[in-house]
Amino acid sequence: MNALGRHILVEFYDCSPELMNDVVHIENSMVAAAETAGATVINSTFHHFSPYGVSGVVVIQESHLAIHTWPEYGYAAVDLFTCGDSVDPWVSYTYLKDAFQSGHGSSMELRRGQLSLLKRNDFNLDALRDVAPKSIEADGTITRDVWFTERDENIALSLKHSGNQLYKKDSPYQRVEVFETLAYGNMLTLDGMVMCTQKDEYVYHEMITHVPMFSHTKAKRALVIGGGDGGTVRELLRHEQLEEVTLVEIDELVIEACKLHLPETAVAFGNPRLNLLVEDGIKYINDCEDGRYDLIIVDSADPVGPGEGLFTAEFYSQVYRCLTPDGVMITQSESPRFNSGVFVEIYETYKQIFGQDKVHCYLAAIPTYPTGTWSFSYSSKGNSQPLQFDREAAAKFSKEQGLKYYNEDVHTAAFALPNFVKELLSNGSQQAINA
Ligand code: SAM
């Protein structure tokens, strides 16, 4: 060959949009395409962007294979670069056309490093050779960097995972997936949004439950809407005073996925005090009798998909109606940093329904949620005040239960809001744009 390498630029059209958004399938196909052509794979790194799209590269001893996908067009831009004669990039082309179910592929081959144009330098190659990095692990395994990314138009959160997806099913409501992340254990995502991870779920689930349970000590009946991962009801059921905990989760696949792959979060599903209903929380609350619950927790996903209806004034008015006169509503209320517009909007709604001075915001640090700063709302129908609680009892409970985040000091500190959050909440939506 009269060049150092062959570089094929490929356009795969009419591919399966599903496959073009399936980071695990794409990464496995690209690695297999390299190996089928006889290449030695050194490393691979792939990013899955939310809401969709995959970019990735497989580094081989003989150069690289790279891909960028546009699921919305069923299109993949691929380049196959191999040096020397031992690997035929057209073998990888054929493999990938089939793996991506491409209806139509076009390509162009470039010769890289025309020998006639290269002048060999006589610098000391041996010295260079000593510093060359190890090509593959001692035991022959390749290192794989496959990333899950959640983002909005400006910022992103990426978590590296093992590349073998533990769960992936589409329900009538959303795509339910579980990834095995390297730093945070198994991670549940819904439609590409992080819901919870084994390593840090306790922050969210302890704060959404024990704050109200210690400031509203007469609670006997609690309702959780959403919360299909089971963490919220697990924490509520630690409180013996609760006679009944009802969980209304619309999607049975979320329950199934967590029972299989986040068992410590789903541990309470067998508790006899739990009344588990698989149905729409909006319909449930509309049909629910007045004043039935002392505590209602809206543990919903973000205001998209099936969770969208859980962010409306109509829904919260129904929640208000279903609370006892002293009842308390707790919601996950997004982030003052990631969705500050939504954050401001939902607090305005809560204040209209519960009253200006009956709505309180508290914060927690949740590393796997975008920006890490997450908020909860505490809205009282009666006179329950979030900071009026028995510190001794909270301290004793936290110790006895071996809680990893909630304690009496965290309970108090969570309501100490930074100035920018206070401004967001007092000046409403105008501030959201400047935050
Ligand atoms: N901890 C997560 C967070 O902060 O985003 C949310 C927990 S949980 C996984 C969110 C749950 O709300 C999901 O399982 C979803 O299926 C459920 N959900 C969404 N809309 C619902 C509805 N209308 N009725 C009942 N459950 C709903």
Side-chain angles (χ1 to χ4, degrees):
M1 183 167 69
N2 59 2
L4 292 177
R6 303 160 72 179
H7 200 162
I8 304 176
L9 301 182
V10 182
E11 306 272 274
F12 282 136
Y13 294 103
D14 311 329
C15 303
S16 142
E18 285 298 312
L19 293 180
M20 289 297 97
N21 199 38
D22 184 338
V23 66
V24 175
H25 176 78
I26 290 172
E27 196 246 353
N28 290 340
S29 303
M30 293 290 281
V31 170
E35 290 169 339
T36 309
T40 304
V41 177
I42 293 172
N43 185 329
S44 66
T45 185
F46 281 74
H47 265 263
H48 179 203
F49 296 104
S50 82
Y52 38 69
V54 173
S55 287
V57 65
V58 178
V59 178
I60 54 179
Q61 206 147 292
E62 303 82 359
S63 290
H64 74 256
L65 286 72
I67 186 168
H68 302 278
T69 73
W70 282 260
E72 66 274 30
Y73 297 114
Y75 164 71
V78 173
D79 73 281
L80 310 167
F81 185 5
T82 59
C83 293
D85 295 321
S86 60
V87 175
D88 178 355
W90 287 103
V91 171
S92 302
Y93 171 91
T94 310
Y95 185 95
L96 292 173
K97 187 168 187 298
D98 185 41
F100 297 150
Q101 299 171 11
S102 163
H104 163 56
S106 70
S107 58
M108 175 170 67
E109 176 169 335
L110 303 170
R111 296 276 158 165
R112 306 302 302 268
Q114 303 273 358
L115 295 179
S116 57
L117 301 175
L118 296 174
K119 262 194 328 333
R120 202 176 179 90
N121 297 313
D122 55 2
F123 55 89
N124 172 3
L125 263 179
D126 292 342
L128 259 190
R129 227 186 288 282
D130 296 349
V131 296
K134 229 176 347 93
S135 60
I136 44 180
E137 303 299 325
D139 63 2
T141 52
I142 56 167
T143 54
R144 298 168 55 167
D145 291 353
V146 191
W147 295 78
F148 169 88
T149 298
E150 178 176 348
R151 67 188 174 121
D152 68 2
E153 56 285 354
N154 302 319
I155 52 175
L157 161 93
S158 286
L159 287 164
K160 194 192 288 188
H161 61 87
S162 66
N164 53 337
Q165 215 169 343
L166 301 173
Y167 188 96
K168 178 182 161 190
K169 286 188 185 174
D170 287 331
S171 77
Y173 311 102
Q174 55 211 344
R175 165 157 292 182
V176 183
E177 297 175 286
V178 178
F179 295 90
E180 189 182 25
T181 74
L182 275 61
Y184 281 88
N186 294 348
M187 169 177 73
L188 170 70
T189 70
L190 298 180
D191 282 345
M193 293 178 287
V194 177
M195 289 293 121
C196 55
T197 75
Q198 282 178 311
K199 185 161 179 188
D200 72 350
E201 55 87 3
Y202 61 84
V203 179
Y204 176 96
H205 295 123
E206 289 181 18
M207 290 305 281
I208 205 170
T209 50
H210 303 313
V211 166
M213 285 306 294
F214 277 99
S215 36
H216 183 29
T217 49
K218 297 196 290 298
K220 291 274 176 273
R221 281 203 294 236
L223 167 65
V224 177
I225 295 180
D229 48 58
T232 299
V233 292
R234 176 196 67 203
E235 292 305 313
L236 281 178
L237 289 163
R238 291 180 193 272
H239 295 270
E240 294 304 327
Q241 79 195 61
L242 285 176
E243 290 157 10
E244 176 211 314
V245 175
T246 298
L247 172 63
V248 182
E249 163 58 56
I250 198 169
D251 193 340
E252 61 186 350
L253 293 189
V254 176
I255 296 169
E256 178 187 73
C258 294
K259 280 183 176 173
L260 287 170
H261 301 297
L262 288 97
E264 55 289 310
T265 312
V267 67
F269 282 132
N271 190 309
R273 277 189 292 153
L274 176 64
N275 173 27
L276 173 57
L277 305 173
V278 179
E279 61 178 90
D280 185 343
I282 299 169
K283 180 179 176 322
Y284 180 85
I285 206 78
N286 289 340
D287 299 345
C288 177
E289 74 208 52
D290 292 6
R292 175 156 173 71
Y293 290 103
D294 305 296
L295 173 61
I296 297 180
I297 296 177
V298 184
D299 178 8
S300 65
D302 299 308
V304 287
E308 198 165 356
L310 303 180
F311 285 78
T312 64
E314 165 55 22
F315 171 74
Y316 293 121
S317 306
Q318 293 296 330
V319 170
Y320 185 87
R321 176 183 61 78
C322 299
L323 283 169
T324 55
D326 240 359
V328 168
M329 175 184 83
I330 302 288
T331 72
Q332 75 87 2
S333 48
E334 297 296 312
S335 169
R337 287 203 186 282
F338 188 61
N339 275 332
S340 48
V342 173
F343 172 76
V344 169
E345 210 180 299
I346 43 183
Y347 273 90
E348 292 304 303
T349 306
Y350 298 158
K351 290 176 193 169
Q352 282 159 25
I353 295 166
F354 283 83
Q356 286 295 325
D357 57 352
K358 297 289 187 76
V359 178
H360 309 270
C361 171
Y362 60 106
L363 302 177
I366 303 180
T368 52
Y369 283 1
T371 76
T373 304
W374 218 256
S375 77
F376 301 89
S377 73
Y378 182 114
S379 303
S380 308
K381 185 170 179 177
N383 299 317
S384 158
Q385 288 296 329
L387 291 178
Q388 284 170 11
F389 69 100
D390 180 340
R391 286 179 56 85
E392 303 266 300
K396 185 166 171 289
F397 180 89
S398 174
K399 241 188 212 70
E400 279 169 4
Q401 295 290 330
L403 301 184
K404 295 194 276 191
Y405 193 87
Y406 177 85
N407 62 45
E408 70 285 11
D409 296 326
V410 163
H411 181 136
T412 304
F415 289 86
L417 301 178
N419 292 346
F420 86 91
V421 178
K422 287 182 180 173
E423 279 162 29
L424 275 176
L425 295 174
S426 55
N427 301 357
S429 42
Q430 181 46 41
Q431 291 292 329
I433 300 152
N434 310 334

